[in-house]
Amino acid sequence: MTGQTPPDVEELADRLDEAAAKAAPIPRLAAAAGVGPAAAYAVQEALVERRLARGERLVGLKMGLTSRAKMAQVGVDEVIWGRLTDGMRVDDGGLVDLGRYIHPRVEPEVAFLMSRSPEPGEPVGDLASAVRAVAPAIELIDSRYDGFSFSLPDVIADNTSAAGFVVGPWRPVPDGLDNLGVLLEVGGRVVQTGSTAAILGDPRRALDAAVRLAGRRGVRLREGWVVLAGAATAAVPLRAGDHVRAVVERLGTASLRAAS
Ligand code: 0L1
Ligand code: MG
């Protein structure tokens, strides 16, 4: 037996929490600490616990790396999930203070609003009845690691880079969600184009993945929670003064502004 010391989950969570609080990046930590994906989710949980201890509330989950574009952008190849708190929510059209982030990026997404808590192992076909509404969304991601560079366990531990999210107007779920055009505009200029098909072929698959993967760690989606299904395009850097709009065909728009 090699007898490697088990990772100190609380200490790793402290390091990531401090990096986020100070908006100061840190070196990757998973390899040196012997953290694989399972331990990384334990670090993520401990990291988000620190937010909850400061008064934030869990309001949903986000799926990450659900598109080929995103997997290629960050060099990993597995769907991952993270936790959303009310402290990360930005009003639609709201102003974002860039001083809170290290190297923020934005990406267009689709959000689901849960009408009930799905049962563990509930068939995919039944999940539609657990969704009250759908909306266009923007996720603001901000890796706490130097150079926005990480391994899979690193990014899982870092709550999958979750930093902020905007949800546009909710509407009933349309019949087809699987091939809707998506634009990301910055300052009125289209900077990314894609389709909801890029989100695991259909954003509803991301919802299924959320139920299954979070369920493995004992986390059940709750009524009123938001699920961010994942990005339909690669993410782009968010810069001072940017006005960002995500446009999803048939769903509408969500927007934010970065303070100058
Ligand atoms: O939401 C995402 O797909 C991000 C997952 C983490 C990778 C990244 O920071 O780009
Ligand atoms: Mg995302």
Side-chain angles (χ1 to χ4, degrees):
M1 289 217 333
T2 54
Q4 187 175 19
T5 320
D8 185 340
V9 166
E10 299 298 329
E11 193 269 327
L12 297 173
D14 279 339
R15 274 198 246 166
L16 285 161
D17 190 47
E18 191 177 316
K22 293 185 173 162
I26 57 172
R28 298 172 178 213
L29 43 71
V35 169
Y41 277 111
V43 176
Q44 179 191 123
E45 187 173 351
L47 174 63
V48 176
E49 278 300 332
R50 280 151 178 72
R51 284 176 169 267
L52 304 186
R54 291 193 288 267
E56 293 180 36
R57 261 184 331 110
L58 268 185
V59 294
L61 301 182
K62 60 156 283 187
M63 301 309 290
L65 306 182
T66 48
S67 74
R68 287 277 145 218
K70 289 282 312 186
M71 286 184 192
Q73 187 175 33
V74 300
V76 301
D77 59 4
E78 214 173 280
V79 174
I80 54 179
W81 63 279
R83 292 156 160 98
L84 300 174
T85 71
D86 58 347
M88 300 175 190
R89 196 191 291 269
V90 177
D91 290 340
D92 190 18
L95 196 66
V96 167
D97 172 9
L98 289 189
R100 292 176 56 194
Y101 308 106
I102 300 166
H103 30 211
R105 297 178 181 177
V106 283
E107 53 191 24
E109 302 225 2
V110 168
F112 293 106
L113 180 63
M114 304 308 295
S115 59
R116 63 174 173 82
S117 182
E119 298 297 326
E122 187 165 325
V124 189
D126 294 356
L127 286 180
S129 69
V131 174
R132 177 172 299 145
V134 65
I138 298 172
E139 186 181 14
L140 195 165
I141 53 175
D142 190 31
S143 174
R144 269 53 71 161
Y145 300 114
D146 289 325
F148 221 114
S149 163
F150 39 72
S151 65
L152 189 68
D154 280 314
V155 70
I156 293 169
D158 186 23
N159 197 21
T160 64
S161 306
F165 67 99
V166 178
V167 176
W170 293 111
R171 51 150 293 152
V173 185
D175 276 347
L177 269 185
D178 55 335
N179 195 15
L180 304 179
V182 177
L183 301 178
L184 185 67
E185 296 174 0
V186 178
R189 213 166 49 84
V190 175
V191 294
Q192 291 284 331
T193 59
S195 158
T196 54
I199 306 169
L200 295 178
D202 184 326
R204 284 170 291 204
R205 292 211 181 100
L207 188 63
D208 173 51
V211 173
R212 270 186 307 104
L213 299 180
R216 277 188 209 155
R217 289 207 56 90
V219 177
R220 272 184 77 179
L221 275 65
R222 300 184 207 149
E223 180 188 350
W225 273 20
V226 172
V227 177
L228 291 183
T233 72
V236 303
L238 180 65
R239 302 207 162 89
D242 281 349
H243 178 214
V244 179
R245 229 163 63 104
V247 184
V248 184
E249 185 185 354
R250 296 182 68 190
L251 301 189
T253 69
S255 70
L256 62 80
R257 280 179 190 279
S260 25

PDB file of all heavy atoms in Angstrom, residues 24-28 102-103 143-150:
ATOM      1  N   ALA A  24      -8.558  36.521  -6.052  1.00  0.00           N
ATOM      2  CA  ALA A  24      -7.127  36.324  -6.297  1.00  0.00           C
ATOM      3  C   ALA A  24      -6.917  34.857  -6.666  1.00  0.00           C
ATOM      4  O   ALA A  24      -7.242  33.963  -5.863  1.00  0.00           O
ATOM      5  CB  ALA A  24      -6.338  36.673  -5.047  1.00  0.00           C
ATOM      6  N   PRO A  25      -6.399  34.556  -7.857  1.00  0.00           N
ATOM      7  CA  PRO A  25      -6.302  33.158  -8.286  1.00  0.00           C
ATOM      8  C   PRO A  25      -5.258  32.373  -7.501  1.00  0.00           C
ATOM      9  O   PRO A  25      -4.313  32.954  -6.962  1.00  0.00           O
ATOM     10  CB  PRO A  25      -5.893  33.271  -9.757  1.00  0.00           C
ATOM     11  CG  PRO A  25      -5.215  34.602  -9.875  1.00  0.00           C
ATOM     12  CD  PRO A  25      -5.870  35.500  -8.870  1.00  0.00           C
ATOM     13  N   ILE A  26      -5.462  31.062  -7.459  1.00  0.00           N
ATOM     14  CA  ILE A  26      -4.535  30.161  -6.763  1.00  0.00           C
ATOM     15  C   ILE A  26      -4.080  29.072  -7.742  1.00  0.00           C
ATOM     16  O   ILE A  26      -4.750  28.824  -8.743  1.00  0.00           O
ATOM     17  CB  ILE A  26      -5.203  29.512  -5.521  1.00  0.00           C
ATOM     18  CG1 ILE A  26      -6.485  28.765  -5.938  1.00  0.00           C
ATOM     19  CG2 ILE A  26      -5.482  30.540  -4.445  1.00  0.00           C
ATOM     20  CD1 ILE A  26      -7.105  27.940  -4.818  1.00  0.00           C
ATOM     21  N   PRO A  27      -2.952  28.399  -7.422  1.00  0.00           N
ATOM     22  CA  PRO A  27      -2.549  27.280  -8.277  1.00  0.00           C
ATOM     23  C   PRO A  27      -3.549  26.131  -8.162  1.00  0.00           C
ATOM     24  O   PRO A  27      -4.250  26.002  -7.147  1.00  0.00           O
ATOM     25  CB  PRO A  27      -1.191  26.856  -7.698  1.00  0.00           C
ATOM     26  CG  PRO A  27      -0.755  27.981  -6.820  1.00  0.00           C
ATOM     27  CD  PRO A  27      -2.003  28.678  -6.349  1.00  0.00           C
ATOM     28  N   ARG A  28      -3.581  25.292  -9.183  1.00  0.00           N
ATOM     29  CA  ARG A  28      -4.414  24.079  -9.111  1.00  0.00           C
ATOM     30  C   ARG A  28      -4.051  23.311  -7.847  1.00  0.00           C
ATOM     31  O   ARG A  28      -2.887  23.333  -7.426  1.00  0.00           O
ATOM     32  CB  ARG A  28      -4.088  23.162 -10.271  1.00  0.00           C
ATOM     33  CG  ARG A  28      -4.343  23.689 -11.633  1.00  0.00           C
ATOM     34  CD  ARG A  28      -3.747  22.679 -12.582  1.00  0.00           C
ATOM     35  NE  ARG A  28      -3.949  23.035 -13.956  1.00  0.00           N
ATOM     36  CZ  ARG A  28      -4.125  22.135 -14.933  1.00  0.00           C
ATOM     37  NH1 ARG A  28      -4.103  20.843 -14.674  1.00  0.00           N
ATOM     38  NH2 ARG A  28      -4.300  22.531 -16.160  1.00  0.00           N
ATOM     39  N   ILE A 102     -12.208  37.176 -10.894  1.00  0.00           N
ATOM     40  CA  ILE A 102     -10.796  37.084 -11.268  1.00  0.00           C
ATOM     41  C   ILE A 102     -10.646  37.278 -12.779  1.00  0.00           C
ATOM     42  O   ILE A 102      -9.960  38.183 -13.224  1.00  0.00           O
ATOM     43  CB  ILE A 102     -10.222  35.717 -10.825  1.00  0.00           C
ATOM     44  CG1 ILE A 102     -10.341  35.566  -9.303  1.00  0.00           C
ATOM     45  CG2 ILE A 102      -8.756  35.583 -11.273  1.00  0.00           C
ATOM     46  CD1 ILE A 102     -10.131  34.143  -8.791  1.00  0.00           C
ATOM     47  N   HIS A 103     -11.271  36.400 -13.541  1.00  0.00           N
ATOM     48  CA  HIS A 103     -11.215  36.469 -15.011  1.00  0.00           C
ATOM     49  C   HIS A 103     -12.559  35.951 -15.546  1.00  0.00           C
ATOM     50  O   HIS A 103     -12.615  34.873 -16.142  1.00  0.00           O
ATOM     51  CB  HIS A 103     -10.022  35.685 -15.598  1.00  0.00           C
ATOM     52  CG  HIS A 103      -9.598  34.505 -14.784  1.00  0.00           C
ATOM     53  ND1 HIS A 103      -8.301  34.042 -14.710  1.00  0.00           N
ATOM     54  CD2 HIS A 103     -10.309  33.671 -13.985  1.00  0.00           C
ATOM     55  CE1 HIS A 103      -8.252  32.989 -13.913  1.00  0.00           C
ATOM     56  NE2 HIS A 103      -9.444  32.748 -13.473  1.00  0.00           N
ATOM     57  N   SER A 143     -13.126  30.892 -12.996  1.00  0.00           N
ATOM     58  CA  SER A 143     -12.287  29.893 -12.346  1.00  0.00           C
ATOM     59  C   SER A 143     -11.434  30.560 -11.271  1.00  0.00           C
ATOM     60  O   SER A 143     -10.909  31.647 -11.480  1.00  0.00           O
ATOM     61  CB  SER A 143     -11.368  29.232 -13.372  1.00  0.00           C
ATOM     62  OG  SER A 143     -10.475  28.379 -12.706  1.00  0.00           O
ATOM     63  N   ARG A 144     -11.306  29.881 -10.150  1.00  0.00           N
ATOM     64  CA  ARG A 144     -10.455  30.424  -9.089  1.00  0.00           C
ATOM     65  C   ARG A 144      -8.997  30.009  -9.285  1.00  0.00           C
ATOM     66  O   ARG A 144      -8.134  30.278  -8.441  1.00  0.00           O
ATOM     67  CB  ARG A 144     -10.958  29.951  -7.721  1.00  0.00           C
ATOM     68  CG  ARG A 144     -11.971  30.859  -7.050  1.00  0.00           C
ATOM     69  CD  ARG A 144     -13.193  31.256  -7.830  1.00  0.00           C
ATOM     70  NE  ARG A 144     -14.151  30.193  -8.043  1.00  0.00           N
ATOM     71  CZ  ARG A 144     -15.428  30.366  -8.381  1.00  0.00           C
ATOM     72  NH1 ARG A 144     -15.904  31.583  -8.588  1.00  0.00           N
ATOM     73  NH2 ARG A 144     -16.222  29.333  -8.577  1.00  0.00           N
ATOM     74  N   TYR A 145      -8.688  29.356 -10.409  1.00  0.00           N
ATOM     75  CA  TYR A 145      -7.318  28.896 -10.656  1.00  0.00           C
ATOM     76  C   TYR A 145      -6.575  29.829 -11.608  1.00  0.00           C
ATOM     77  O   TYR A 145      -7.170  30.402 -12.535  1.00  0.00           O
ATOM     78  CB  TYR A 145      -7.338  27.484 -11.250  1.00  0.00           C
ATOM     79  CG  TYR A 145      -7.984  26.474 -10.348  1.00  0.00           C
ATOM     80  CD1 TYR A 145      -9.171  25.858 -10.706  1.00  0.00           C
ATOM     81  CD2 TYR A 145      -7.405  26.145  -9.119  1.00  0.00           C
ATOM     82  CE1 TYR A 145      -9.776  24.926  -9.870  1.00  0.00           C
ATOM     83  CE2 TYR A 145      -8.011  25.208  -8.283  1.00  0.00           C
ATOM     84  CZ  TYR A 145      -9.190  24.609  -8.664  1.00  0.00           C
ATOM     85  OH  TYR A 145      -9.784  23.701  -7.828  1.00  0.00           O
ATOM     86  N   ASP A 146      -5.266  29.881 -11.411  1.00  0.00           N
ATOM     87  CA  ASP A 146      -4.384  30.659 -12.293  1.00  0.00           C
ATOM     88  C   ASP A 146      -4.660  30.312 -13.749  1.00  0.00           C
ATOM     89  O   ASP A 146      -4.710  29.123 -14.104  1.00  0.00           O
ATOM     90  CB  ASP A 146      -2.908  30.312 -12.025  1.00  0.00           C
ATOM     91  CG  ASP A 146      -2.414  30.847 -10.692  1.00  0.00           C
ATOM     92  OD1 ASP A 146      -2.854  31.944 -10.300  1.00  0.00           O
ATOM     93  OD2 ASP A 146      -1.596  30.159 -10.052  1.00  0.00           O
ATOM     94  N   GLY A 147      -4.793  31.320 -14.574  1.00  0.00           N
ATOM     95  CA  GLY A 147      -4.886  31.118 -16.011  1.00  0.00           C
ATOM     96  C   GLY A 147      -6.135  30.412 -16.475  1.00  0.00           C
ATOM     97  O   GLY A 147      -6.199  29.955 -17.613  1.00  0.00           O
ATOM     98  N   PHE A 148      -7.146  30.307 -15.612  1.00  0.00           N
ATOM     99  CA  PHE A 148      -8.398  29.607 -15.970  1.00  0.00           C
ATOM    100  C   PHE A 148      -8.057  28.199 -16.447  1.00  0.00           C
ATOM    101  O   PHE A 148      -8.618  27.681 -17.405  1.00  0.00           O
ATOM    102  CB  PHE A 148      -9.145  30.367 -17.079  1.00  0.00           C
ATOM    103  CG  PHE A 148     -10.639  30.436 -16.888  1.00  0.00           C
ATOM    104  CD1 PHE A 148     -11.283  31.642 -16.645  1.00  0.00           C
ATOM    105  CD2 PHE A 148     -11.418  29.277 -16.948  1.00  0.00           C
ATOM    106  CE1 PHE A 148     -12.665  31.708 -16.475  1.00  0.00           C
ATOM    107  CE2 PHE A 148     -12.791  29.329 -16.782  1.00  0.00           C
ATOM    108  CZ  PHE A 148     -13.408  30.545 -16.548  1.00  0.00           C
ATOM    109  N   SER A 149      -7.138  27.546 -15.746  1.00  0.00           N
ATOM    110  CA  SER A 149      -6.620  26.260 -16.196  1.00  0.00           C
ATOM    111  C   SER A 149      -6.726  25.249 -15.056  1.00  0.00           C
ATOM    112  O   SER A 149      -6.339  25.546 -13.919  1.00  0.00           O
ATOM    113  CB  SER A 149      -5.165  26.470 -16.615  1.00  0.00           C
ATOM    114  OG  SER A 149      -4.507  25.250 -16.689  1.00  0.00           O
ATOM    115  N   PHE A 150      -7.261  24.075 -15.372  1.00  0.00           N
ATOM    116  CA  PHE A 150      -7.542  23.112 -14.297  1.00  0.00           C
ATOM    117  C   PHE A 150      -7.711  21.716 -14.861  1.00  0.00           C
ATOM    118  O   PHE A 150      -7.929  21.530 -16.065  1.00  0.00           O
ATOM    119  CB  PHE A 150      -8.832  23.507 -13.560  1.00  0.00           C
ATOM    120  CG  PHE A 150      -9.893  24.018 -14.489  1.00  0.00           C
ATOM    121  CD1 PHE A 150     -10.573  23.164 -15.348  1.00  0.00           C
ATOM    122  CD2 PHE A 150     -10.198  25.363 -14.539  1.00  0.00           C
ATOM    123  CE1 PHE A 150     -11.538  23.634 -16.221  1.00  0.00           C
ATOM    124  CE2 PHE A 150     -11.166  25.855 -15.428  1.00  0.00           C
ATOM    125  CZ  PHE A 150     -11.834  24.976 -16.263  1.00  0.00           C
TER     126      PHE A 150
END
